[in-house]
Amino acid sequence: HVVVRQRLDKRPGLMIRPMPFGVHVLATQGQYAGIHRFIGFRGGAVKVNIIKQGEAVVVEAHLLLMPEQWQELVFVVAADERAEPAHRRCLSALQSPQRFLDGARQRWERFFDEQVPTLECDHALWTELYYHSAYVLRANLYDFKKGAIRHPYSCPSKMKFLPSWFWDPCFHGFAEKWFRDYPAPVSTFLNHFEAQEEDGYLPMTVDARGNTWKALGVTAKACQQFLHPLTLWDHYLVHGDQRVLRRALPHLMAHDRYLQRNREPGPDPMFVPLSGGELADNSSRLVADTARRKEIGTLGQRIEPVDWNSYLYASQRAMARMATEIGDAAAARTMTARAEARLGPLRRLWNMRTGVFTDRL
C-alpha cells in the first residue's frame, strides 16, 4: 500500500474542489489570483482522497501493489488563467504522459544543444553545477505578453516571486549573455524601461499591472543597487549590438538623474539610502542587536554605503563607455563627470584603522 501526498497550504482565498482524478484549485487572492490548477493522479488501482490536516489540505493518492509487481503512477499538474484549457491539458497528460515527457525532453535538449555553450571540465560537480544553473535560468524565463509584461522576462523564483524584480535580472544577465539567441536580460529590462515613471524612476518590481509596488498601494520608491549598466555593457561586449545600447542608455541616464535628485542629499555626490531594504536585500548592517534584526524598515542613521556607491561609480563609467560607443559625446561627458565627482568621496571611505573601505555615517 503506497500513499503519495500533495500538501496544499490553506491560504486566504484558496478554493479546492474535488475531481474524479484529483482536485481543482483556484486562487482568488494574492499574486496568483485567477490561476486555475488541476492536480491529477492515474494508476491501476489508484484512489484519491482529500483530507484536512491543520491549516492545510492534503491530496492523497493510494496505490495498492501486489508482490513483485510494477505499477505506474502518473502525477500531473496543469495551470492556466482559464479553467477549461488547464482541465483539458491535465486529462490529456494523464492519458498520454510519455508524449508530454518526450516533448519537454526535446525542448530541453534543443536548449542545451543550441543555446548553452558546452562546458569541457574534468570535475563532475562543476559540470553538474554549470548545467543546473543554466537549467534554473531557463526554467525562470516567462513570456506572458500580458499587460505591462510585453517582453520575455527572467524571474528570480518561479514559485514565489512572480514579478520581474529590479536587480535579480542583472545577476542573471551576467550568465545569460553567453546563451545564443536568448531574449534575456535585454527583454527583461525592456519591461522595466517601458514602466519607467516620468521622473526617471525605474520600478523595483514589474508585473502585468506595471509598477507592482504602486499597484499594491506601496508609495515608497525603493531603489536597489543600480547594476543594469554593468550587465548591458557586458552583454554588448559579447554580442556587439549597438541597438541595445541606444535603446537602453536614455532610460539608464534618466534613472541615474532620479538617484541624483532623490538619494544624494549631502554636498558630495554620494548615494544615501532611505531604508534597510535599499542596502542589499534588507541588510541589517546598522542593527547591532541581533534580537532587533527585523527592525530595518526605516534607517535611524544616514549612511554612505561603500558597496552602493562603488556599483554606482562603475555603472556611470559603463554608461559613459556606452555613450562613446554609439557616438553620443554629450552623454559620455555627462556620465564621465558624474563618475569622477563620486570618485574622490568614494576614496575617502578608506578606513586607515581597519585597512578596508567602510560605510560612513
Side-chain angles (χ1 to χ4, degrees):
H1 182 201
V2 178
V3 182
V4 179
R5 295 182 175 90
Q6 172 67 42
R7 177 187 171 94
L8 301 172
D9 291 331
K10 195 68 171 70
R11 295 173 179 167
L14 193 67
M15 300 172 59
I16 302 174
R17 183 164 63 99
M19 304 290 288
F21 54 83
V23 292
H24 171 205
V25 181
L26 172 62
T28 60
Q29 298 180 27
Q31 62 177 336
Y32 294 103
I35 301 296
H36 296 265
R37 278 182 294 162
F38 287 86
I39 301 174
F41 299 89
R42 183 178 67 79
V46 67
K47 180 182 178 182
V48 179
N49 290 337
I50 301 175
I51 61 174
K52 187 171 182 181
Q53 199 175 78
E55 293 300 315
V57 172
V58 178
V59 184
E60 292 186 340
H62 295 255
L63 188 66
L64 298 176
L65 297 179
M66 299 299 293
E68 300 182 12
Q69 179 191 52
W70 288 95
Q71 178 65 54
E72 180 182 71
L73 175 66
V74 180
F75 171 61
V76 171
V77 180
D80 201 289
E81 291 181 312
R82 296 170 297 162
E84 194 276 329
H87 184 210
R88 184 176 64 249
R89 285 201 305 273
C90 185
L91 292 178
S92 180
L94 287 171
Q95 293 302 315
S96 306
Q98 196 59 48
R99 178 168 61 88
F100 282 78
L101 291 173
D102 290 343
R105 181 177 292 108
Q106 290 169 8
R107 290 190 293 274
W108 280 111
E109 287 176 348
R110 284 197 299 272
F111 170 66
F112 284 110
D113 290 344
E114 300 173 8
Q115 294 184 276
V116 179
T118 302
L119 174 67
E120 295 184 5
C121 178
D122 57 3
H123 197 302
L125 288 179
W126 281 112
T127 303
E128 181 178 346
L129 176 62
Y130 172 80
Y131 286 107
H132 178 71
S133 299
Y135 156 78
V136 170
L137 288 172
R138 179 63 185 86
N140 288 303
L141 183 68
Y142 286 137
D143 193 8
F144 288 162
K145 284 188 173 59
K146 176 186 176 185
I149 298 293
R150 302 180 181 92
H151 312 277
Y153 74 98
S154 185
C155 178
S157 169
K158 65 179 180 176
M159 298 308 295
K160 294 192 180 293
F161 301 113
L162 190 60
S164 173
W165 286 66
F166 188 75
W167 69 344
D168 298 86
C170 300
F171 302 138
H172 305 169
F174 292 126
E176 291 168 336
K177 68 173 181 282
W178 298 110
F179 295 169
R180 302 182 188 95
D181 300 320
Y182 199 74
V186 175
S187 62
T188 305
F189 294 155
L190 291 179
N191 290 315
H192 285 259
F193 294 161
E194 293 173 6
Q196 189 169 31
E197 298 188 7
E198 291 184 3
D199 58 6
Y201 173 73
L202 286 171
M204 176 111 126
T205 55
V206 177
D207 67 6
R209 296 166 291 183
N211 183 339
T212 307
W213 283 32
K214 194 172 184 179
L216 294 175
V218 180
T219 55
K221 295 181 178 181
C223 298
Q224 287 183 319
Q225 274 85 337
F226 187 33
L227 305 176
H228 301 63
L230 302 178
T231 306
L232 287 168
W233 178 250
D234 258 18
H235 187 277
Y236 173 72
L237 292 179
V238 175
H239 298 279
D241 189 350
Q242 290 192 355
R243 294 173 299 178
V244 173
L245 302 187
R246 292 192 180 92
R247 179 71 172 83
L249 189 58
H251 296 282
L252 301 178
M253 292 183 64
H255 186 69
D256 182 80
R257 289 192 294 271
Y258 175 84
L259 296 176
Q260 182 180 21
R261 292 191 304 269
N262 296 278
R263 293 297 189 281
E264 297 179 9
D268 291 331
M270 294 289 277
F271 177 92
V272 175
L274 294 183
S275 71
E278 295 187 337
L279 287 170
D281 267 6
N282 301 322
S283 168
S284 56
R285 68 178 80 172
L286 297 185
V287 183
D289 183 356
T290 56
R292 300 176 56 216
R293 290 284 167 157
K294 293 183 179 179
E295 298 178 25
I296 57 177
T298 302
L299 296 178
Q301 301 279 1
R302 307 304 298 273
I303 181 176
E304 293 178 356
V306 63
D307 52 354
W308 231 112
N309 284 285
S310 297
Y311 292 139
L312 194 50
Y313 169 78
S315 289
Q316 288 164 345
R317 285 291 189 196
M319 284 187 275
R321 298 179 74 179
M322 290 181 189
T324 300
E325 198 75 7
I326 62 176
D328 189 339
R333 287 193 298 270
T334 297
M335 297 318 303
T336 298
R338 282 276 287 148
E340 289 180 350
R342 187 179 309 277
L343 187 56
L346 187 57
R347 283 176 171 160
R348 289 199 292 272
L349 296 184
W350 176 257
N351 189 318
M352 291 292 293
R353 182 177 61 83
T354 60
V356 296
F357 286 93
T358 309
D359 297 339
R360 183 189 302 276
L361 292 177

